[in-house]
Amino acid sequence: MPLNQKKKNLAILGSTGSIGSQALDVVRQQSGHFCVEVLTAQNNASLLIAQAIEFRPNVVVIGAEHLYQKVASALQPLDIKVYTGEESLLQVIGMETIDMVLIALVGYAGLRPTLSAIEAGKQIAIANKETFVVAGELVTRLAKERGVNLYPVDSEHSAIFQCLAGEFHNPVEKIYLTASGGPFRGKGKQYLQQVTKAEALKHPNWTMGCKITIDSATLMNKGLEVIEAKWLFGLEADQIDVVVHPQSIIHSMVQFGDGSIKAQMGLPDMRLPIQYALSYPQRLSSGFQRFCFTDHPELTFEPPDRENFRCLDLAYEAMKTGGNMPCILNAANEVAVNAFLKDSIKFLRIPEIIETCMHRVGFDPNPDFMVYSGTDQETRLIAGEIIDKLMV
């Protein structure tokens, strides 16, 4: 670290999840560059306590109010302030001592904290793609107005961001988001009708949380990333393509007007894009495993199977329709995935539920935050009703 450069104070929202936990691993390895000011979690009080004991943040927020006393009692000897509830989380984000907020929350829950961080003028490292899916126009407009930088944490969007370094004056012709294909790549409809939750959670390359792992299996994760890319990089639908790359070594590519393509490569390790987002524009030296070309003599590419994995096309449809349609898509997907994880529906019901909601929920071409909120609630209600009927 250069002389007189102070450590960057981080607020890690969702510290007990997959991204949050790996971000703390980055902090462990880069303790000379980062320190933890705030940690938050929704329900995992035990891990949150352990993290707070290790990293000694100034503030901890536990979302579930019934767990407040457990966390407060455990951390009281360390003089760590403990708060609970969403409103407390939103207020804490505005603390003057915070330099950067990492949004590692899952799903729609990331939207309000992201908007609060923008309003507070914080620099943001964002791993919550659903925020862009639900309200990409609102989020990017407010960030621009407040002069807030949004640094992508998703490996694909980090790859695009890295490929664009030094190229911001050159227009992008197309980007290619790579997908592993998930655990069911190459499988047909008959096979997919019988897959189990345990099988769907066995991702071939990445270690992720349950929701995003199921999204990867349905290809909805790639669909959400397509919408996220539109807002992050100011692209149109026909400028964003998806290619299946089973080895997950090339994380995404940018094609420019002269036909040349830049690709960002590396082993599938989320700590790399997390560290890049937290440290940008620096590239900090790390002890992460290095990629070796001779260990990966073959890198292959193929088109996604849109017939058997319909979620990808549903996402493109929602993006092209605009308005609150991506919000409908996201809410329906969250409810359907949750039902699948509870063994309430079969795997192939997920796209069916999403498509039905896209036709039934009221469409608004010019939504504001209140419309997004109402759309999210209405969609969850309708999706729940559909699932209840399927279970009868």
Side-chain angles (χ1 to χ4, degrees):
M1 175 183 289
L3 292 175
N4 302 321
Q5 182 176 325
K6 74 180 189 70
K7 294 183 182 181
K8 187 178 291 186
N9 288 336
L10 305 177
I12 301 179
L13 312 188
S15 66
T16 59
S18 175
I19 294 295
S21 296
Q22 291 178 85
L24 288 174
D25 193 28
V26 170
V27 174
R28 282 188 194 96
Q29 296 193 36
Q30 304 291 352
S31 58
H33 295 271
F34 307 115
C35 61
V36 178
E37 183 71 4
V38 175
L39 292 175
T40 84
Q42 181 61 29
N43 293 302
N44 196 340
S46 297
L47 181 53
L48 180 63
I49 290 168
Q51 291 174 342
I53 290 172
E54 177 181 357
F55 291 94
R56 304 296 175 94
N58 185 20
V59 171
V60 160
V61 181
I62 179 71
E65 296 185 8
H66 69 280
L67 296 172
Y68 168 76
Q69 199 57 54
K70 175 180 179 179
V71 178
S73 298
L75 300 182
Q76 190 274 332
L78 302 178
D79 197 30
I80 296 173
K81 303 178 186 68
V82 180
Y83 302 105
T84 186
E86 184 180 29
E87 295 306 316
S88 294
L89 171 62
L90 299 179
Q91 292 175 18
V92 163
I93 291 171
M95 289 169 50
E96 291 184 2
T97 51
I98 295 172
D99 297 314
M100 174 172 270
V101 179
L102 170 60
I103 310 288
L105 302 168
V106 177
Y108 180 84
L111 178 57
R112 285 190 72 195
T114 301
L115 293 174
S116 292
I118 292 172
E119 185 63 30
K122 304 299 182 184
Q123 302 307 301
I124 299 172
I126 186 161
N128 179 264
K129 60 179 67 67
E130 292 87 352
T131 289
F132 291 104
V133 173
V134 171
E137 190 278 333
L138 174 64
V139 169
T140 52
R141 173 170 53 81
L142 292 177
K144 186 175 182 180
E145 290 174 359
R146 295 289 296 176
V148 168
N149 292 321
L150 301 169
Y151 300 106
V153 169
D154 269 351
S155 62
E156 296 82 0
H157 301 86
S158 175
I160 299 299
F161 184 56
Q162 293 180 58
C163 289
L164 288 173
E167 299 279 4
F168 291 101
H169 57 292
N170 290 319
V172 172
E173 186 171 280
K174 180 172 283 194
I175 68 169
Y176 295 90
L177 298 176
T178 55
S180 69
F184 305 133
R185 181 176 68 90
K187 303 299 184 183
K189 183 168 290 186
Q190 186 173 356
Y191 180 92
L192 295 174
Q193 287 174 344
Q194 306 301 325
V195 299
T196 66
K197 173 179 67 178
E199 291 170 328
L201 288 171
K202 291 180 180 177
H203 195 281
N205 299 333
W206 296 95
T207 300
M208 306 178 291
C210 291
K211 194 266 183 183
I212 190 174
T213 304
I214 301 302
D215 282 348
S216 180
T218 65
L219 288 193
M220 177 57 86
N221 187 51
K222 208 53 49 180
L224 299 180
E225 289 175 359
V226 165
I227 301 174
E228 180 182 6
K230 166 186 169 64
W231 295 111
L232 272 174
F233 305 113
L235 302 171
E236 299 300 326
D238 61 2
Q239 292 179 284
I240 309 170
D241 207 350
V242 172
V243 60
V244 173
H245 169 50
Q247 297 82 19
S248 295
I249 296 300
I250 293 179
H251 299 302
S252 279
M253 298 166 277
V254 177
Q255 180 173 300
F256 297 96
D258 62 356
S260 62
I261 295 176
K262 277 189 176 182
Q264 190 268 331
M265 303 174 64
L267 294 172
D269 185 341
M270 278 306 301
R271 294 174 301 173
L272 290 169
I274 291 170
Q275 178 173 291
Y276 187 76
L278 296 181
S279 64
Y280 182 85
Q282 287 182 279
R283 285 190 182 271
L284 302 179
S285 178
S286 79
F288 303 147
Q289 184 180 354
R290 268 40 179 179
F291 172 75
C292 177
F293 280 93
T294 56
D295 290 341
H296 301 271
E298 186 177 41
L299 302 180
T300 61
F301 305 91
E302 62 194 57
D305 179 356
R306 295 173 181 266
E307 180 179 351
N308 291 309
F309 299 89
R310 296 179 50 245
C311 286
L312 180 58
D313 280 346
L314 291 174
Y316 268 99
E317 179 184 337
M319 177 174 62
K320 292 174 182 177
T321 303
N324 66 335
M325 190 60 74
C327 181
I328 297 169
L329 173 96
N330 179 74
N333 181 62
E334 287 189 20
V335 173
V337 168
N338 186 55
F340 176 70
L341 287 169
K342 291 182 177 179
D343 298 313
S344 299
I345 61 171
K346 294 289 188 180
F347 183 77
L348 288 180
R349 291 292 191 184
I350 295 174
E352 292 178 8
I353 292 166
I354 295 166
E355 186 172 30
T356 301
C357 288
M358 289 172 68
H359 287 122
R360 287 180 53 182
V361 178
F363 175 68
D364 190 320
N366 299 297
D368 56 16
F369 178 78
M370 293 307 296
V371 170
Y372 290 131
S373 180
T375 297
D376 181 76
Q377 294 176 25
E378 180 187 359
T379 305
R380 290 175 190 276
L381 181 64
I382 290 175
E385 291 173 352
I386 296 168
I387 291 166
D388 288 342
K389 290 180 181 178
L390 290 172
M391 294 173 62
V392 173

